mmCIF file of all heavy atoms in Angstrom:
data_model
loop_
_atom_site.group_PDB
_atom_site.id
_atom_site.type_symbol
_atom_site.label_atom_id
_atom_site.label_comp_id
_atom_site.label_asym_id
_atom_site.label_seq_id
_atom_site.Cartn_x
_atom_site.Cartn_y
_atom_site.Cartn_z
ATOM 1 N N PRO A 325 165.907 257.036 -103.396
ATOM 2 C CA PRO A 325 166.272 255.612 -103.412
ATOM 3 C C PRO A 325 167.407 255.273 -102.446
ATOM 4 O O PRO A 325 167.421 254.209 -101.833
ATOM 5 C CB PRO A 325 166.698 255.369 -104.866
ATOM 6 C CG PRO A 325 166.038 256.443 -105.641
ATOM 7 C CD PRO A 325 166.006 257.629 -104.737
ATOM 8 N N ILE A 326 168.379 256.192 -102.314
ATOM 9 C CA ILE A 326 169.465 255.974 -101.359
ATOM 10 C C ILE A 326 168.924 255.960 -99.941
ATOM 11 O O ILE A 326 169.286 255.091 -99.126
ATOM 12 C CB ILE A 326 170.544 257.068 -101.528
ATOM 13 C CG1 ILE A 326 171.320 256.841 -102.831
ATOM 14 C CG2 ILE A 326 171.507 257.079 -100.337
ATOM 15 C CD1 ILE A 326 172.306 257.938 -103.162
ATOM 16 N N ALA A 327 168.040 256.902 -99.636
ATOM 17 C CA ALA A 327 167.434 256.953 -98.303
ATOM 18 C C ALA A 327 166.640 255.688 -98.005
ATOM 19 O O ALA A 327 166.629 255.196 -96.867
ATOM 20 C CB ALA A 327 166.516 258.179 -98.190
ATOM 21 N N LEU A 328 166.002 255.130 -99.030
ATOM 22 C CA LEU A 328 165.243 253.884 -98.857
ATOM 23 C C LEU A 328 166.158 252.739 -98.441
ATOM 24 O O LEU A 328 165.841 251.959 -97.525
ATOM 25 C CB LEU A 328 164.513 253.541 -100.157
ATOM 26 C CG LEU A 328 163.723 252.228 -100.172
ATOM 27 C CD1 LEU A 328 162.624 252.236 -99.099
ATOM 28 C CD2 LEU A 328 163.128 251.975 -101.559
ATOM 29 N N VAL A 329 167.313 252.627 -99.091
ATOM 30 C CA VAL A 329 168.267 251.572 -98.732
ATOM 31 C C VAL A 329 168.813 251.811 -97.327
ATOM 32 O O VAL A 329 168.951 250.864 -96.533
ATOM 33 C CB VAL A 329 169.419 251.502 -99.752
ATOM 34 C CG1 VAL A 329 170.436 250.436 -99.336
ATOM 35 C CG2 VAL A 329 168.884 251.183 -101.141
ATOM 36 N N PHE A 330 169.113 253.052 -96.999
ATOM 37 C CA PHE A 330 169.563 253.376 -95.643
ATOM 38 C C PHE A 330 168.543 252.893 -94.616
ATOM 39 O O PHE A 330 168.904 252.306 -93.583
ATOM 40 C CB PHE A 330 169.761 254.880 -95.492
ATOM 41 C CG PHE A 330 171.002 255.413 -96.161
ATOM 42 C CD1 PHE A 330 171.212 256.795 -96.256
ATOM 43 C CD2 PHE A 330 171.973 254.572 -96.680
ATOM 44 C CE1 PHE A 330 172.353 257.302 -96.857
ATOM 45 C CE2 PHE A 330 173.113 255.073 -97.300
ATOM 46 C CZ PHE A 330 173.298 256.444 -97.384
ATOM 47 N N LEU A 331 167.277 253.154 -94.892
ATOM 48 C CA LEU A 331 166.212 252.765 -93.959
ATOM 49 C C LEU A 331 166.124 251.250 -93.824
ATOM 50 O O LEU A 331 166.006 250.724 -92.703
ATOM 51 C CB LEU A 331 164.875 253.330 -94.449
ATOM 52 C CG LEU A 331 163.649 252.985 -93.592
ATOM 53 C CD1 LEU A 331 163.810 253.533 -92.172
ATOM 54 C CD2 LEU A 331 162.373 253.511 -94.248
ATOM 55 N N ILE A 332 166.203 250.538 -94.939
ATOM 56 C CA ILE A 332 166.118 249.070 -94.914
ATOM 57 C C ILE A 332 167.272 248.492 -94.093
ATOM 58 O O ILE A 332 167.068 247.612 -93.243
ATOM 59 C CB ILE A 332 166.130 248.504 -96.347
ATOM 60 C CG1 ILE A 332 164.838 248.879 -97.082
ATOM 61 C CG2 ILE A 332 166.287 246.975 -96.322
ATOM 62 C CD1 ILE A 332 164.852 248.535 -98.563
ATOM 63 N N VAL A 333 168.478 248.983 -94.353
ATOM 64 C CA VAL A 333 169.651 248.477 -93.633
ATOM 65 C C VAL A 333 169.557 248.824 -92.145
ATOM 66 O O VAL A 333 169.880 247.998 -91.276
ATOM 67 C CB VAL A 333 170.950 249.055 -94.235
ATOM 68 C CG1 VAL A 333 172.160 248.672 -93.386
ATOM 69 C CG2 VAL A 333 171.139 248.543 -95.659
ATOM 70 N N PHE A 334 169.077 250.022 -91.841
ATOM 71 C CA PHE A 334 168.953 250.442 -90.437
ATOM 72 C C PHE A 334 167.960 249.551 -89.691
ATOM 73 O O PHE A 334 168.212 249.146 -88.542
ATOM 74 C CB PHE A 334 168.510 251.899 -90.370
ATOM 75 C CG PHE A 334 168.456 252.444 -88.969
ATOM 76 C CD1 PHE A 334 169.620 252.657 -88.241
ATOM 77 C CD2 PHE A 334 167.235 252.730 -88.369
ATOM 78 C CE1 PHE A 334 169.574 253.149 -86.938
ATOM 79 C CE2 PHE A 334 167.175 253.226 -87.072
ATOM 80 C CZ PHE A 334 168.345 253.435 -86.358
ATOM 81 N N ILE A 335 166.846 249.236 -90.325
ATOM 82 C CA ILE A 335 165.837 248.369 -89.696
ATOM 83 C C ILE A 335 166.401 246.967 -89.473
ATOM 84 O O ILE A 335 166.228 246.360 -88.410
ATOM 85 C CB ILE A 335 164.557 248.317 -90.541
ATOM 86 C CG1 ILE A 335 163.858 249.686 -90.522
ATOM 87 C CG2 ILE A 335 163.608 247.236 -90.035
ATOM 88 C CD1 ILE A 335 162.693 249.799 -91.475
ATOM 89 N N ARG A 336 167.094 246.455 -90.473
ATOM 90 C CA ARG A 336 167.657 245.100 -90.381
ATOM 91 C C ARG A 336 168.730 245.000 -89.299
ATOM 92 O O ARG A 336 168.864 243.966 -88.636
ATOM 93 C CB ARG A 336 168.248 244.684 -91.733
ATOM 94 C CG ARG A 336 167.218 244.299 -92.778
ATOM 95 C CD ARG A 336 167.933 243.824 -94.039
ATOM 96 N NE ARG A 336 166.992 243.322 -95.031
ATOM 97 C CZ ARG A 336 167.355 242.844 -96.219
ATOM 98 N NH1 ARG A 336 168.659 242.825 -96.540
ATOM 99 N NH2 ARG A 336 166.474 242.406 -97.067
ATOM 100 N N LYS A 337 169.518 246.057 -89.154
ATOM 101 C CA LYS A 337 170.658 245.996 -88.233
ATOM 102 C C LYS A 337 170.457 246.879 -87.003
ATOM 103 O O LYS A 337 171.424 247.269 -86.351
ATOM 104 C CB LYS A 337 171.940 246.402 -88.971
ATOM 105 C CG LYS A 337 172.282 245.486 -90.145
ATOM 106 C CD LYS A 337 173.642 245.806 -90.729
ATOM 107 C CE LYS A 337 174.012 244.828 -91.839
ATOM 108 N NZ LYS A 337 175.366 245.065 -92.350
ATOM 109 N N PHE A 338 169.204 247.160 -86.709
ATOM 110 C CA PHE A 338 168.899 248.061 -85.596
ATOM 111 C C PHE A 338 169.468 247.549 -84.273
ATOM 112 O O PHE A 338 170.035 248.304 -83.483
ATOM 113 C CB PHE A 338 167.383 248.247 -85.475
ATOM 114 C CG PHE A 338 166.985 249.170 -84.365
ATOM 115 C CD1 PHE A 338 167.075 250.543 -84.509
ATOM 116 C CD2 PHE A 338 166.530 248.661 -83.151
ATOM 117 C CE1 PHE A 338 166.721 251.394 -83.481
ATOM 118 C CE2 PHE A 338 166.176 249.499 -82.112
ATOM 119 C CZ PHE A 338 166.263 250.872 -82.280
ATOM 120 N N LYS A 339 169.343 246.273 -84.032
ATOM 121 C CA LYS A 339 169.758 245.714 -82.747
ATOM 122 C C LYS A 339 171.272 245.643 -82.600
ATOM 123 O O LYS A 339 171.803 245.755 -81.492
ATOM 124 C CB LYS A 339 169.161 244.323 -82.556
ATOM 125 C CG LYS A 339 167.640 244.324 -82.385
ATOM 126 C CD LYS A 339 167.135 242.912 -82.132
ATOM 127 C CE LYS A 339 165.620 242.906 -81.925
ATOM 128 N NZ LYS A 339 165.108 241.526 -81.679
ATOM 129 N N THR A 340 171.964 245.461 -83.690
ATOM 130 C CA THR A 340 173.415 245.219 -83.609
ATOM 131 C C THR A 340 174.275 246.428 -83.960
ATOM 132 O O THR A 340 175.306 246.668 -83.331
ATOM 133 C CB THR A 340 173.800 244.053 -84.533
ATOM 134 O OG1 THR A 340 173.375 244.361 -85.875
ATOM 135 C CG2 THR A 340 173.143 242.754 -84.081
ATOM 136 N N ASP A 341 173.876 247.194 -84.978
ATOM 137 C CA ASP A 341 174.762 248.240 -85.502
ATOM 138 C C ASP A 341 174.118 249.619 -85.552
ATOM 139 O O ASP A 341 174.561 250.485 -86.307
ATOM 140 C CB ASP A 341 175.243 247.859 -86.920
ATOM 141 C CG ASP A 341 176.034 246.572 -86.938
ATOM 142 O OD1 ASP A 341 176.779 246.330 -85.978
ATOM 143 O OD2 ASP A 341 175.893 245.819 -87.914
ATOM 144 N N ARG A 342 173.076 249.863 -84.772
ATOM 145 C CA ARG A 342 172.359 251.125 -84.919
ATOM 146 C C ARG A 342 173.245 252.342 -84.617
ATOM 147 O O ARG A 342 173.137 253.379 -85.277
ATOM 148 C CB ARG A 342 171.101 251.146 -84.064
ATOM 149 C CG ARG A 342 171.313 251.031 -82.566
ATOM 150 C CD ARG A 342 169.972 251.072 -81.841
ATOM 151 N NE ARG A 342 170.133 250.936 -80.404
ATOM 152 C CZ ARG A 342 170.224 249.782 -79.763
ATOM 153 N NH1 ARG A 342 170.179 248.643 -80.459
ATOM 154 N NH2 ARG A 342 170.368 249.731 -78.452
ATOM 155 N N LYS A 343 174.124 252.247 -83.629
ATOM 156 C CA LYS A 343 174.970 253.388 -83.276
ATOM 157 C C LYS A 343 175.940 253.728 -84.412
ATOM 158 O O LYS A 343 176.135 254.888 -84.764
ATOM 159 C CB LYS A 343 175.737 253.107 -81.982
ATOM 160 C CG LYS A 343 174.860 253.093 -80.739
ATOM 161 C CD LYS A 343 175.702 252.900 -79.486
ATOM 162 C CE LYS A 343 174.828 252.910 -78.234
ATOM 163 N NZ LYS A 343 175.645 252.723 -76.996
ATOM 164 N N GLU A 344 176.554 252.685 -84.956
ATOM 165 C CA GLU A 344 177.489 252.886 -86.057
ATOM 166 C C GLU A 344 176.768 253.452 -87.281
ATOM 167 O O GLU A 344 177.263 254.368 -87.949
ATOM 168 C CB GLU A 344 178.175 251.564 -86.415
ATOM 169 C CG GLU A 344 179.041 251.599 -87.670
ATOM 170 C CD GLU A 344 180.192 252.596 -87.591
ATOM 171 O OE1 GLU A 344 180.622 252.921 -86.462
ATOM 172 O OE2 GLU A 344 180.655 253.049 -88.650
ATOM 173 N N LEU A 345 175.578 252.907 -87.566
ATOM 174 C CA LEU A 345 174.823 253.385 -88.725
ATOM 175 C C LEU A 345 174.366 254.828 -88.538
ATOM 176 O O LEU A 345 174.422 255.633 -89.473
ATOM 177 C CB LEU A 345 173.616 252.468 -88.978
ATOM 178 C CG LEU A 345 173.953 251.078 -89.525
ATOM 179 C CD1 LEU A 345 172.721 250.192 -89.551
ATOM 180 C CD2 LEU A 345 174.547 251.181 -90.928
ATOM 181 N N LEU A 346 173.898 255.160 -87.353
ATOM 182 C CA LEU A 346 173.489 256.539 -87.085
ATOM 183 C C LEU A 346 174.660 257.501 -87.259
ATOM 184 O O LEU A 346 174.507 258.601 -87.790
ATOM 185 C CB LEU A 346 172.909 256.654 -85.669
ATOM 186 C CG LEU A 346 171.481 256.128 -85.482
ATOM 187 C CD1 LEU A 346 171.110 256.112 -84.008
ATOM 188 C CD2 LEU A 346 170.485 256.980 -86.275
ATOM 189 N N LYS A 347 175.838 257.075 -86.820
ATOM 190 C CA LYS A 347 177.030 257.896 -86.990
ATOM 191 C C LYS A 347 177.316 258.105 -88.487
ATOM 192 O O LYS A 347 177.658 259.215 -88.914
ATOM 193 C CB LYS A 347 178.216 257.205 -86.319
ATOM 194 C CG LYS A 347 179.488 258.051 -86.276
ATOM 195 C CD LYS A 347 180.689 257.243 -85.827
ATOM 196 C CE LYS A 347 180.465 256.605 -84.461
ATOM 197 N NZ LYS A 347 181.680 255.840 -84.021
ATOM 198 N N GLN A 348 177.148 257.042 -89.263
ATOM 199 C CA GLN A 348 177.371 257.145 -90.704
ATOM 200 C C GLN A 348 176.335 258.065 -91.364
ATOM 201 O O GLN A 348 176.677 258.884 -92.222
ATOM 202 C CB GLN A 348 177.328 255.751 -91.347
ATOM 203 C CG GLN A 348 178.498 254.863 -90.983
ATOM 204 C CD GLN A 348 178.519 253.571 -91.791
ATOM 205 O OE1 GLN A 348 177.980 253.515 -92.896
ATOM 206 N NE2 GLN A 348 179.141 252.539 -91.246
ATOM 207 N N PHE A 349 175.075 257.926 -90.968
ATOM 208 C CA PHE A 349 174.025 258.744 -91.574
ATOM 209 C C PHE A 349 174.222 260.226 -91.259
ATOM 210 O O PHE A 349 174.012 261.089 -92.114
ATOM 211 C CB PHE A 349 172.650 258.286 -91.096
ATOM 212 C CG PHE A 349 172.291 256.876 -91.505
ATOM 213 C CD1 PHE A 349 171.371 256.137 -90.780
ATOM 214 C CD2 PHE A 349 172.876 256.286 -92.618
ATOM 215 C CE1 PHE A 349 171.042 254.844 -91.144
ATOM 216 C CE2 PHE A 349 172.557 254.989 -93.005
ATOM 217 C CZ PHE A 349 171.640 254.260 -92.264
ATOM 218 N N VAL A 350 174.621 260.522 -90.029
ATOM 219 C CA VAL A 350 174.886 261.911 -89.651
ATOM 220 C C VAL A 350 176.054 262.464 -90.475
ATOM 221 O O VAL A 350 176.009 263.600 -90.963
ATOM 222 C CB VAL A 350 175.183 262.029 -88.138
ATOM 223 C CG1 VAL A 350 175.705 263.415 -87.791
ATOM 224 C CG2 VAL A 350 173.926 261.713 -87.330
ATOM 225 N N SER A 351 177.088 261.655 -90.641
ATOM 226 C CA SER A 351 178.244 262.072 -91.446
ATOM 227 C C SER A 351 177.837 262.301 -92.899
ATOM 228 O O SER A 351 178.290 263.255 -93.551
ATOM 229 C CB SER A 351 179.351 261.007 -91.373
ATOM 230 O OG SER A 351 179.771 260.812 -90.036
ATOM 231 N N PHE A 352 176.972 261.407 -93.388
ATOM 232 C CA PHE A 352 176.459 261.557 -94.752
ATOM 233 C C PHE A 352 175.763 262.908 -94.913
ATOM 234 O O PHE A 352 176.041 263.667 -95.847
ATOM 235 C CB PHE A 352 175.489 260.419 -95.062
ATOM 236 C CG PHE A 352 174.798 260.543 -96.390
ATOM 237 C CD1 PHE A 352 175.361 259.997 -97.530
ATOM 238 C CD2 PHE A 352 173.573 261.200 -96.512
ATOM 239 C CE1 PHE A 352 174.729 260.104 -98.765
ATOM 240 C CE2 PHE A 352 172.931 261.319 -97.730
ATOM 241 C CZ PHE A 352 173.515 260.770 -98.854
ATOM 242 N N GLY A 353 174.853 263.209 -94.012
ATOM 243 C CA GLY A 353 174.115 264.461 -94.077
ATOM 244 C C GLY A 353 175.006 265.674 -93.901
ATOM 245 O O GLY A 353 174.809 266.710 -94.563
ATOM 246 N N PHE A 354 176.002 265.550 -93.042
ATOM 247 C CA PHE A 354 176.912 266.666 -92.766
ATOM 248 C C PHE A 354 177.687 267.067 -94.014
ATOM 249 O O PHE A 354 178.036 268.238 -94.192
ATOM 250 C CB PHE A 354 177.888 266.268 -91.648
ATOM 251 C CG PHE A 354 178.784 267.375 -91.197
ATOM 252 C CD1 PHE A 354 178.314 268.385 -90.366
ATOM 253 C CD2 PHE A 354 180.116 267.427 -91.611
ATOM 254 C CE1 PHE A 354 179.148 269.416 -89.955
ATOM 255 C CE2 PHE A 354 180.951 268.445 -91.205
ATOM 256 C CZ PHE A 354 180.463 269.445 -90.370
#
Side-chain angles (χ1 to χ4, degrees):
I326 288 174
L328 177 60
V329 178
F330 285 171
L331 179 61
I332 292 172
V333 173
F334 184 69
I335 292 172
R336 284 184 175 180
K337 299 188 176 184
F338 181 79
K339 292 183 179 180
T340 57
D341 299 324
R342 62 180 179 275
K343 289 184 179 180
E344 172 60 25
L345 289 172
L346 283 172
K347 187 190 303 181
Q348 291 188 25
F349 297 156
V350 170
S351 300
F352 174 90
F354 185 77

